[in-house]
Amino acid sequence: MRFFVTGASGWIGSALVPELLGAGHQVTGLARSDSSAAALTAAGADVVRGSVDDLDVLARAAAEADGVVHLAFKHDIAFSGDFQGAAEADRRAVDALAEPLAGTDRPFVLASGLAGLKPGQVANERDMPGIDGSAMSVRAATSLAVLALAEHGVRSSVVRLSPTCHGEGDNGFMAFLVAIARDKGVSGYIGDGTNRWPAVHRLDAARLFRLAAEKAPAGSVLHGAAEEGVAIRDVAEVIGRHLDVPVTSVAPEAAPGHFTWLSGFLGTDIPASSTLTRDLLNWQPAQPGLLEDLDKGHYFHTS
């Protein structure tokens, strides 16, 4: 099969492209820069130049493909304060990608997130996000729209990813926590630190996306969670040991000053199960867990 992948040179996409190619598929990746295009070509993929804002480009590429995996999201503007704008752009991109797939039974796999589904309880694949008009719910509504494509002849599925997709080269939440600990001289957690985050290695996540594209039934919700929940205090302790700094609790009222933009998220308790996903697709995560991966030391290398 020939798959069109957006975000193909990103953190998950750069693992998915070789995963698909290694399984005998062809890949066309969306690239908005010369460096991204060069990386995709070097990996063995074809290239379509453009961005998620180029809706005509997206529609043409989707029409020419046997399936679509949509990983791209405008994280740059989302993390700079305009999550709603990023989510609205994502919805426009999804609509453009989905239109030529209607009635074809071709796969369309969307990357979404696990955070906020069922705080304080273990979320499973049957749990659906609430739509309350908030910026976060704009993205949630997009995931529901993709699932609804199953009623229009699209083999659609949504992969809800853990908030931390870890691995060597990660510049996400774990790398940010390490940077804060190095800067502050302490490795912190909020409150008692018993709140849990699900976690998945990027290579296990890439394999899940491939399996979804190959065989997930229409309307499937899948959880990219290799670990149900890792306590944030345990994460802080590994970071503190590697940096040789104290591990300490940060009071909730002091968290914004200590953790900046991550503070509102770091204290959440958002465990999630992937039992149904594993049973449906025979997905068996094989890479190191989050704490083991942190202990390998690559998060602590400085250039």
Side-chain angles (χ1 to χ4, degrees), residues 287-302:
Q287 299 300 318
L290 175 57
L291 299 181
E292 181 184 353
D293 199 17
L294 283 167
D295 250 337
K296 288 179 178 292
H298 53 80
Y299 276 95
F300 307 98
H301 297 160
T302 56

Side-chain angles (χ1 to χ4, degrees), residues 7-285:
S9 60
W11 177 234
I12 302 297
S14 59
L16 176 59
V17 168
E19 177 75 24
L20 288 169
L21 292 170
H25 301 294
Q26 296 175 290
V27 177
T28 299
L30 182 70
R32 61 178 179 175
S33 69
D34 291 342
S35 59
S36 293
L40 288 171
T41 299
D46 294 326
V47 176
V48 168
R49 292 300 297 263
S51 75
V52 291
D53 293 321
D54 296 318
L55 303 184
D56 289 344
V57 171
L58 299 182
R60 284 196 300 272
E64 295 170 358
D66 298 316
V68 172
V69 181
H70 180 44
L71 301 175
F73 190 74
K74 300 175 81 170
H75 291 101
D76 51 348
I77 69 169
F79 289 140
S80 65
D82 188 14
F83 189 92
Q84 176 133 358
E88 290 172 350
D90 186 55
R91 179 56 184 269
R92 292 190 292 271
V94 164
D95 289 344
L97 291 164
E99 185 175 1
L101 300 180
T104 67
D105 292 321
R106 295 175 184 173
F108 181 15
V109 186
L110 174 73
S112 189
L114 282 168
L117 273 178
K118 206 174 180 181
Q121 303 177 62
V122 179
N124 66 41
E125 294 87 341
R126 296 191 181 98
D127 292 315
M128 290 296 146
I131 307 300
D132 58 10
S134 66
M136 289 293 290
S137 74
V138 174
R139 195 176 191 193
T142 298
S143 71
L144 296 179
V146 168
L147 295 176
L149 293 172
E151 302 172 4
H152 301 280
V154 180
R155 185 163 62 79
S156 61
S157 60
V158 172
V159 176
R160 296 171 177 165
L161 283 169
S162 297
T164 178
C165 295
H166 56 89
E168 188 163 3
D170 177 17
N171 288 313
F173 292 139
M174 290 301 109
F176 191 68
L177 280 177
V178 170
I180 290 174
R182 183 176 279 119
D183 178 62
K184 301 288 187 179
V186 298
S187 179
Y189 54 88
I190 298 175
D192 64 9
T194 58
N195 61 295
R196 300 152 293 173
W197 277 16
V200 65
H201 195 283
R202 69 188 284 260
L203 299 181
D204 286 325
R207 183 167 183 268
L208 177 56
F209 275 102
R210 173 177 66 81
L211 292 172
E214 290 176 340
K215 61 182 182 180
S220 295
V221 174
L222 307 167
H223 278 189
E227 295 177 279
E228 187 173 282
V230 180
I232 296 301
R233 179 170 182 165
D234 293 341
V235 171
E237 288 177 346
V238 177
I239 293 173
R241 185 170 68 251
H242 279 267
L243 294 180
D244 194 23
V245 298
V247 179
T248 186
S249 171
V250 176
E253 61 270 20
H258 189 93
F259 296 106
T260 65
W261 59 268
L262 188 55
S263 62
F265 191 34
L266 187 63
T268 56
D269 187 39
I270 48 174
S273 167
S274 61
T275 299
L276 299 178
T277 297
R278 297 177 195 228
D279 290 346
L280 181 66
L281 298 180
N282 193 28
W283 178 58
Q284 299 298 330

